[in-house]
């Protein structure tokens, strides 16, 4: 199970990209993206563990969590993608 989580994080990081190289489009851009993750991705308030915020647990503020960073990058690259909601499973 842990390997799957690492794989999903790795795939998500590929989407963010670390390169300034120009990417050529080979097809239509996606309109929907599903991000699966753990509490680092997003976590609802969980007072029993001392977490009273509604963002990724590794971030110091909402704009610095993984989902917010991913959304910001996607809005620049693909503004037609609509904002989605995070759901805790």
């Amino acid at each position: 199970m842990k390997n799957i989580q690492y794989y999903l994080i790795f795939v998500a990081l590929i989407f963010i990209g670390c390169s300034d190289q120009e990417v050529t489009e080979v097809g239509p851009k996606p309109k929907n993206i599903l991000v699966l993750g753990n509490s680092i991705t997003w976590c609802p308030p969980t007072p029993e563990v001392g977490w009273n915020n509604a963002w990724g647990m590794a971030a110091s503020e909402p704009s610095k969590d993984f989902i917010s960073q991913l959304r910001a990058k996607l809005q620049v690259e693909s503004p037609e993608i609509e904002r989605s909601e995070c759901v805790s499973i």
Side-chain angles (χ1 to χ4, degrees), residues 34-38 41-44 67 71 84-89:
L34 172 65
V35 178
L36 302 174
N38 57 14
T41 308
W42 183 81
C43 186
I67 291 295
R71 282 182 180 152
S84 61
E85 298 302 317
C86 294
V87 178
S88 179
I89 303 175

Side-chain angles (χ1 to χ4, degrees), residues 1 3-6 9 24 34 36 40-41 46-48 51 54 59 64 69 71 81 84 87:
M1 189 65 160
N3 289 338
I4 292 173
Q5 290 175 344
Y6 289 129
I9 291 171
T24 57
L34 172 65
L36 302 174
I40 291 177
T41 308
T46 313
E48 56 270 12
W51 182 252
K64 294 182 179 179
Q69 295 289 315
R71 282 182 180 152
I81 295 177
S84 61
V87 178

Side-chain angles (χ1 to χ4, degrees), residues 8-23:
L8 292 174
I9 291 171
F10 175 75
V11 170
L13 290 174
I14 289 173
F15 281 107
I16 292 174
C18 299
S19 175
D20 290 337
Q21 295 177 348
E22 188 173 327
V23 177

Side-chain angles (χ1 to χ4, degrees), residues 41-79:
T41 308
W42 183 81
C43 186
T46 313
E48 56 270 12
V49 297
W51 182 252
N52 299 312
N53 306 305
W55 61 73
M57 291 183 98
S60 57
E61 60 184 67
S63 65
K64 294 182 179 179
D65 74 354
F66 175 78
I67 291 295
S68 297
Q69 295 289 315
L70 180 61
R71 282 182 180 152
K73 180 71 172 175
L74 288 173
Q75 281 298 314
V76 170
E77 299 295 326
S78 302

